[in-house]
Amino acid sequence: MGNLKCFFEPDGVALIGATEKMGFGYGQTKTLVDQNLGKRLFLINPSQSTIFGQKAYASILDIPDAVDLAILIVPAGVVATVLRECAARGVKAVIIQSAGFAEIGGEGVKRQEELTAVARETGLRIIGPNCVGLANTSNGFATTETVKEAMKPGPIGIIAQSGVFGNIVMDMGPEEGVYFSKVITLGNRCDVDESELIRYLGQDEQTRVITLYLEGVKDGRRFLAAVKEVAPRKPIVILKGGRTAAGKAATASHTGTLSGEDSIYAGAFAQSGVLRVRDIQELFDLSKSLALLPRPQGSRVAVLTTSGSLGGLTVDVCEDHNLPFAELSEETLQTVREAAPPWMTVKNPLDVGPSGLFAPFLKTLMDDPNVDGVIGIFLIPWMIVDEIRTQGAGAEMFLDGLAECRQWLDKKPFLLSVVGKREMRGIVQKIVGQEVPLISTPENAARVFASLVRYAANGHTADEAGPARQDSHV
Amino acid sequence: MEIIDKAKKEARTLLSEHESKQLLRNYNIPVTRELVVERREDLAEATSGIGFPLVLKGCAADISHKTEMSLIRTDVRNDEEAVSAFDEIMANMQGTDGAVLVQEMVKGKRELVVGLTRDPQFGPCVMFGLGGIFTEILKDVTFRVAPLEKADALEMMQEIKGHKILEAVRGMDAADLDQLSDILVNVSRIGIENEDIKEIDINPVILSGGKGVAVDALVVLME
């Protein structure tokens, strides 16, 4: 596993199939050239003698210096040959982006088996085929075009069994307040698989949360072993898709009939401590919350809302997850009663309506020792914001004191969700700062809290250095 | 294991109910007191040995689901009923190598299912859930990968939608969760230690006085 380092921190890189012609390979070539690797980058293409003004070589066997990483973007039919040349030239790690292997079935499967055989014979490691490779934000190394903002160093490590998912996640991340340590796309997993990468990211200091997108594991028991080793130190989040129809042979038993593929995965995840999310949005919400928020000491939740209906939806999801509602302390009840207008019902969940008391009551609830986490749902009808703007004021006046919440980041978790016109969310994010995560929906806020509780309950409270601050990425 | 070797020699992939229960007993899983009776003459001794009320079932290696085949008579209260049940079952089993299983009738209204399956990815996995004749309709089951620890067993039991059935409900005792956990852990051991076994159904596990008893069992061997 130490031999995976070359993928992320290569001393020298050879791009085989480099091209300055438009089409497949152009983007990868330009991306690598723009990374200013200088003498550490070799471009290889037998039919182009210079590429982007740089000398190109006909074969990896011709390059003057050894490299430890090669990236292949050549047609499937020649990959095996080129791979053997890489091995001969002392390359230690290869990323094969080319498609046309096991994913097409038939001949492709055999072609891929040959790649695995070369890896076994030579000790060379392969990521792919049929992937877009990886990005490492700590040194700016990327084998695919990336959005500049998405390369800002952050705490989330992504392992995706897909090509494009890596791009999706990097495109969306910054707007979701999510920044990455490493993003790896695995493709067909002819050699390196998710289990190895879980262990690798497990000891990568920059990564605080490991997030996976998988359609299926490569080897179930190896996966579970890797998760069991790493999850106690670092949370592991998974979005699992692609419920393939398990072609089930006729079975004599109820158990055989009932063991649909997903029910077994669900059990395996629960058992090993993997936190499962339902969709991409929840993937972002949970990943950043695990990276930025403290672990809850218990599961007693308080819900604070400016909208009764949204509060109700949140409570439903809390109940789905068996989250107990905190019994507010006498002190809290008194503080709230004193400040609350007569129409407000003082209880948990607490609906503050248009009273303007969201921020102060958030603080009150956070101070309550009976509360392990607060879900705060904030909504102001935009017409009110419009109105006060005409009077020269801003929405900030409803959020007076909310900036203080930054100080709670080492106390207990709070899941804030801003609902309504998107602009409102930007305003709140500015007030609370980048290190406070905002959750996309009230329902997801409840789900995320349930996952935080679950992670903590698994005994995974010991963080090496406390929750990460978002500003640690600058 | 002897029972398995015997079945393999006979080119069978199913163990009979009685054989299946012997396997479970070897792993400390509570099963019904029962005797196999092949001839009518031996019936009286068996029924008095176990004591009424009884359940009589057709038992043969090639019968897996008995309800559909009218091979079960429950609540048999006396010798006359026993004989009539015996005859009926033997008649319905004509053509098979069957005998009649004379079994204690376990008192309990709550039926659970415990199973074992081999997943191509994760290997042997244990199933737990609501059992009985509607098992496949309710589909209220959870899975864990073998080997199970006690904590896994306890967690999976709370995950089924109907988990409250394990509490002291309707005047019945709360389920002995420790005892049920042992059953789940031991089933996982069976999966790990016997590569010849492909699937196991223990359905129903009836809660009697809060404790689980395997009332029926089916073991499927690898081909």
Side-chain angles (χ1 to χ4, degrees):
Chain A
M1 196 202 70
N3 52 15
L4 296 187
K5 194 167 172 217
C6 305
F7 284 108
F8 300 97
E9 298 168 41
D11 286 328
V13 182
L15 178 63
I16 309 180
T19 178
E20 59 179 19
K21 301 207 172 95
M22 282 305 215
F24 181 69
Y26 173 86
Q28 294 91 318
T29 309
K30 188 124 196 341
T31 296
L32 281 167
V33 166
D34 286 348
Q35 279 167 46
N36 296 318
L37 295 159
K39 288 206 144 86
R40 291 163 49 220
L41 173 66
F42 294 97
L43 302 177
I44 294 163
N45 188 328
S47 49
Q48 294 176 36
S49 55
T50 62
I51 296 175
F52 293 121
Q54 199 172 313
K55 175 181 163 129
Y57 296 85
S59 150
I60 189 153
L61 298 170
D62 298 336
I63 64 176
D65 302 320
V67 295
D68 44 4
L69 176 67
I71 302 163
L72 271 53
I73 46 178
V74 296
V78 304
V79 166
T81 310
V82 173
L83 190 62
R84 286 183 202 281
E85 286 175 0
C86 291
R89 194 65 180 83
V91 173
K92 304 211 191 77
V94 179
I95 296 173
I96 304 176
Q97 297 196 5
S98 322
F101 292 90
E103 82 282 2
I104 61 168
E107 261 307 303
V109 174
K110 284 210 197 84
R111 252 187 232 139
Q112 186 167 312
E113 280 165 8
E114 197 185 346
L115 306 184
T116 308
V118 173
R120 300 280 175 267
E121 276 163 38
T122 63
L124 181 158
R125 303 308 314 273
I126 303 174
I127 288 181
N130 187 33
C131 68
V132 303
L134 55 86
N136 179 356
T137 62
S138 68
N139 60 10
F141 179 64
T143 66
T144 178
E145 301 146 287
T146 57
V147 170
K148 186 160 175 246
E149 242 228 310
M151 287 298 283
K152 260 199 314 198
I156 314 290
I158 301 279
I159 301 169
Q161 180 203 344
S162 150
V164 178
F165 192 83
N167 296 89
I168 293 171
V169 141
M170 293 189 85
D171 283 350
M172 291 176 72
E175 285 174 338
E176 296 292 333
V178 171
Y179 294 91
F180 307 99
S181 56
K182 275 120 182 118
V183 178
I184 307 119
T185 62
L186 292 173
N188 298 359
R189 302 176 293 187
C190 78
D191 176 31
V192 173
D193 66 13
E194 61 277 3
S195 304
E196 268 196 272
L197 285 169
I198 286 171
R199 289 181 197 268
Y200 183 82
L201 292 182
Q203 50 86 65
D204 175 48
E205 277 174 22
Q206 196 198 5
T207 301
R208 298 196 60 85
V209 177
I210 299 170
T211 298
L212 293 109
Y213 167 74
L214 292 181
E215 284 159 27
V217 295
K218 180 89 191 291
D219 179 316
R221 294 190 81 87
R222 277 223 326 273
F223 175 82
L224 290 180
V227 168
K228 283 192 180 155
E229 197 232 279
V230 174
R233 295 179 274 124
K234 261 176 224 195
I236 298 175
V237 174
I238 193 160
L239 173 59
K240 185 191 172 299
R243 277 161 231 213
T244 56
K248 278 197 148 319
T251 166
S253 71
H254 293 302
T255 311
T257 307
L258 287 167
S259 58
E261 191 193 88
D262 200 66
S263 41
I264 296 205
Y265 268 105
F269 292 153
Q271 186 174 8
S272 56
V274 172
L275 303 168
R276 191 173 184 178
V277 292
R278 296 141 61 113
D279 54 44
I280 290 184
Q281 195 59 69
E282 197 187 342
L283 181 151
F284 285 123
D285 288 331
L286 180 58
S287 299
K288 69 185 175 187
S289 299
L290 285 163
L292 297 172
L293 295 175
R295 307 281 174 252
Q297 299 298 311
S299 56
R300 297 165 301 176
V301 69
V303 173
L304 173 70
T305 180
T306 61
S307 151
S309 56
L310 295 177
L313 291 171
T314 311
V315 165
D316 285 346
V317 178
C318 289
E319 285 174 353
D320 284 344
H321 289 272
N322 296 318
L323 292 170
F325 278 80
E327 246 189 71
L328 304 177
S329 71
E330 267 314 307
E331 207 186 314
T332 296
L333 292 171
Q334 202 169 329
T335 308
V336 172
R337 274 185 198 122
E338 276 166 21
W343 50 260
M344 194 182 293
T345 312
V346 179
K347 65 177 179 66
N348 175 20
L350 183 59
D351 179 358
V352 298
S355 65
L357 291 166
F358 183 85
F361 284 173
L362 183 58
K363 181 173 191 328
T364 309
L365 290 171
M366 288 293 283
D367 283 341
D368 189 327
N370 295 350
V371 171
D372 297 313
V374 180
I375 298 173
I377 317 295
F378 185 75
L379 160 78
I380 307 182
W382 194 255
M383 60 180 190
I384 297 179
V385 178
D386 261 350
E387 178 61 40
I388 55 172
R389 277 178 173 179
T390 63
Q391 297 166 24
E396 293 77 1
M397 67 180 253
F398 293 102
L399 297 162
D400 202 26
L402 191 61
E404 211 186 309
C405 71
R406 238 167 299 200
Q407 297 163 24
W408 307 333
L409 284 173
D410 48 19
K411 278 185 62 181
K412 57 178 83 156
F414 53 101
L415 294 315
L416 294 181
S417 182
V418 179
V419 183
K421 202 161 185 297
R422 271 183 211 251
E423 202 181 321
M424 193 70 226
R425 190 167 146 163
I427 295 172
V428 174
Q429 188 78 74
K430 231 171 160 187
I431 293 173
V432 300
Q434 281 306 311
E435 60 265 44
V436 173
L438 295 183
I439 312 301
S440 59
T441 64
E443 293 93 323
N444 272 3
R447 287 179 194 119
V448 166
F449 183 63
S451 290
L452 295 182
V453 167
R454 199 192 166 89
Y455 186 70
N458 286 345
H460 309 156
T461 44
D463 272 10
E464 274 144 12
R469 298 284 186 271
Q470 193 77 334
D471 57 13
S472 69
H473 72 250
V474 174
Chain B
M1 186 167 295
E2 222 184 282
I3 322 165
I4 298 178
D5 292 335
K6 179 168 183 279
K8 282 167 84 175
K9 259 198 218 106
E10 295 169 15
R12 286 190 281 132
T13 53
L14 297 180
L15 297 186
S16 70
E17 177 180 340
H18 191 60
E19 287 172 327
S20 300
K21 283 183 181 155
Q22 279 173 260
L23 170 70
L24 297 184
R25 213 184 289 121
N26 289 344
Y27 278 83
N28 293 320
I29 295 166
V31 298
T32 48
R33 283 180 302 126
E34 59 187 37
L35 291 163
V36 177
V37 175
E38 289 172 356
R39 301 173 313 160
R40 216 205 235 178
E41 304 87 88
D42 303 323
L43 185 58
E45 198 187 326
T47 58
S48 65
I50 297 179
F52 294 102
L54 292 166
V55 172
L56 267 63
K57 289 182 185 171
C59 178
D62 43 9
I63 300 171
S64 43
H65 296 313
K66 298 167 201 85
T67 310
E68 289 86 350
M69 290 173 71
S70 301
L71 293 175
I72 311 185
R73 280 281 299 279
T74 60
D75 204 16
V76 170
R77 307 234 182 141
N78 54 54
D79 288 314
E80 269 159 16
E81 290 182 15
V83 171
S84 120
F86 181 90
D87 288 341
E88 198 187 316
I89 290 170
M90 286 302 263
N92 286 342
M93 277 201 303
Q94 253 177 31
T96 72
D97 222 343
V100 173
L101 196 52
V102 175
Q103 197 175 86
E104 66 170 312
M105 188 161 122
V106 175
K107 290 212 160 66
K109 292 209 174 70
R110 293 174 286 184
E111 297 184 322
L112 304 170
V113 62
V114 173
L116 179 84
T117 186
R118 275 188 202 278
D119 181 79
Q121 270 300 347
F122 294 103
C125 296
V126 175
M127 182 181 87
F128 171 82
L130 295 186
I133 57 175
F134 298 124
T135 303
E136 283 181 37
I137 292 173
L138 294 170
K139 292 196 204 184
D140 189 7
V141 293
T142 54
F143 290 84
R144 288 293 188 271
V145 178
L148 262 60
E149 290 172 32
K150 186 169 172 178
D152 300 325
L154 290 171
E155 207 185 52
M156 74 188 294
M157 289 193 282
Q158 294 307 315
E159 255 175 38
I160 58 166
K161 290 200 254 319
H163 61 90
K164 285 200 203 284
I165 209 175
L166 300 171
E167 294 171 18
V169 291
R170 295 296 200 162
M172 296 180 275
D173 293 327
D176 183 343
L177 297 177
D178 285 338
Q179 191 250 10
L180 290 176
S181 298
D182 284 343
I183 294 176
L184 293 169
V185 169
N186 288 335
V187 169
S188 81
R189 279 181 48 227
I190 298 178
I192 298 270
E193 292 170 18
N194 297 276
E195 283 177 7
D196 287 326
I197 295 178
K198 182 177 174 205
E199 284 163 6
I200 301 179
D201 262 359
I202 312 173
N203 190 16
V205 170
I206 292 183
L207 289 180
S208 180
K211 294 200 195 292
V213 181
V215 165
D216 194 358
L218 172 69
V219 174
V220 181
L221 302 177
M222 298 290 229
E223 260 128 58

